[in-house]
Amino acid sequence: MVSYYLTTVIVILYFFFDINYFLRLIFTFIWAKFIQKKTKLLDKTTIYSICTTQDLDMMSHMNNARYLRELDFCRYHYFIQTKMFSLLKKMGVTAILGGLCIRYRRPIKFFMIYKITTKLIYWDEKSFYFEHRFINLQDNFIHTIILSKQTTIGMKMSLNEFIKKLEPEISLPEINSDLRLWLESTKHSSQKFRKKD
C-alpha cells in the first residue's frame, strides 16, 4: 500500500514539475559550492553533459530548447563558482536572461558526451555578457556558440562597482566583434519597437 502511494506521488510530481531539472540544479549547486575550487571572474568555468532521450527532437539530435536549458546550469555554476551568487543574493539582486545569440555549427547527437565552457566576456551598466561553447569531448569540435546577456534587477550601483567588490584589480575586457555586432543588432531592433512621441 505504501509503495502504491509513493509511486502515485512520484508520478504526480513528475507530471506537474520538471523533477530532473530541479535535481540537476541541486547537484550543480552542491558541486560548485562545496566540491570545486572557486575561480576568478574572467576564468572559464566548465560543466559536462550527455545528450539523452529526453533531449532529442524528431531528427535524433538535441532539441533546440535543450541548449537553453543547459545554459541555466552553466550560469548557476558560474555565479556560484565565482562567489557572485552569494553577493547578488546578499544585495537582493537578481539576474535574468535578457537575450541570446546562438550559432549552431553541427548538431549534438544522441549519447554524445560534451562540455560547456562559460566565460564572462564583457559587462555594461546593467548586464553581464557571457560566451558559452558546447564542445564534443571526443574531438574538441565546437558544436554551438552562444552569447548570452544577463540583466540585473535591483542593482543600486554600476556593475563595474559591483565587480570591483569581488575582484578589485579586474579590468573590463575589450569588446569582441561578435558581441559588438550583436549589441548593435539588438539596439536597432529595440529602437524599431519603441513608441514614437
Side-chain angles (χ1 to χ4, degrees), residues 41-42 120-129 159-161 163 170-173 179:
L41 292 174
L42 295 180
L120 178 64
I121 57 171
Y122 194 70
W123 60 85
D124 57 24
E125 285 298 301
K126 295 192 323 184
S127 301
F128 301 104
Y129 298 91
L159 276 193
N160 211 46
E161 291 174 83
I163 282 174
I170 201 169
S171 8
L172 180 67
L179 180 59

Side-chain angles (χ1 to χ4, degrees), residues 6-190:
L6 187 60
T7 305
T8 306
V9 167
I10 289 170
V11 168
I12 289 169
L13 284 173
Y14 266 91
F15 184 78
F16 286 105
F17 301 99
D18 188 349
I19 299 297
N20 293 340
Y21 174 86
F22 292 106
L23 288 175
R24 186 159 168 212
L25 203 58
I26 291 165
F27 173 80
T28 302
F29 181 85
I30 291 168
W31 184 262
K33 179 91 173 162
F34 302 110
I35 298 169
Q36 286 188 304
K37 253 174 57 175
K38 299 299 174 265
T39 60
K40 299 273 189 189
L41 292 174
L42 295 180
D43 290 345
K44 279 183 190 169
T45 59
T46 304
I47 67 167
Y48 295 86
S49 195
I50 182 170
C51 181
T52 68
T53 52
Q54 293 187 349
D55 302 320
L56 298 178
D57 62 14
M58 299 271 298
M59 307 292 290
S60 298
H61 301 144
M62 192 153 98
N63 181 313
N64 292 338
R66 288 307 218 193
Y67 289 86
L68 307 186
R69 177 189 167 101
E70 289 297 314
L71 288 192
D72 272 356
F73 304 119
C74 294
R75 288 189 299 267
Y76 290 134
H77 182 259
Y78 173 86
F79 283 129
I80 294 164
Q81 272 284 284
T82 57
K83 299 184 182 174
M84 204 184 277
F85 179 79
S86 50
L87 186 54
L88 286 168
K89 193 174 173 190
K90 190 177 173 184
M91 295 169 71
V93 176
T94 54
I96 60 164
L97 184 62
L100 292 168
C101 177
I102 305 176
R103 181 170 173 231
Y104 300 103
R105 300 180 68 222
R106 193 184 288 170
I108 290 177
K109 296 184 178 176
F110 184 44
F111 270 141
M112 191 183 103
I113 300 171
Y114 59 92
K115 68 180 179 181
I116 311 166
T117 61
T118 297
K119 184 169 176 56
L120 178 64
I121 57 171
Y122 194 70
W123 60 85
D124 57 24
E125 285 298 301
K126 295 192 323 184
S127 301
F128 301 104
Y129 298 91
F130 295 97
E131 181 188 77
H132 311 274
R133 295 181 176 207
F134 288 66
I135 303 167
N136 188 331
L137 282 186
Q138 280 192 319
D139 58 10
N140 282 324
F141 185 83
I142 301 166
H143 282 250
T144 306
I145 300 172
I146 302 178
L147 297 176
S148 75
K149 173 184 180 180
Q150 286 286 300
T151 302
T152 56
I153 296 174
M155 183 71 76
K156 294 183 173 55
M157 62 178 72
S158 74
L159 276 193
N160 211 46
E161 291 174 83
F162 169 78
I163 282 174
K164 295 274 186 188
K165 281 177 169 287
L166 287 164
E167 287 182 31
E169 73 288 353
I170 201 169
S171 8
L172 180 67
E174 191 175 330
I175 191 167
N176 67 36
S177 56
D178 289 347
L179 180 59
R180 182 175 46 77
L181 290 168
W182 178 48
L183 291 180
E184 284 173 13
S185 164
T186 56
K187 185 178 177 185
H188 175 72
S189 172
S190 188

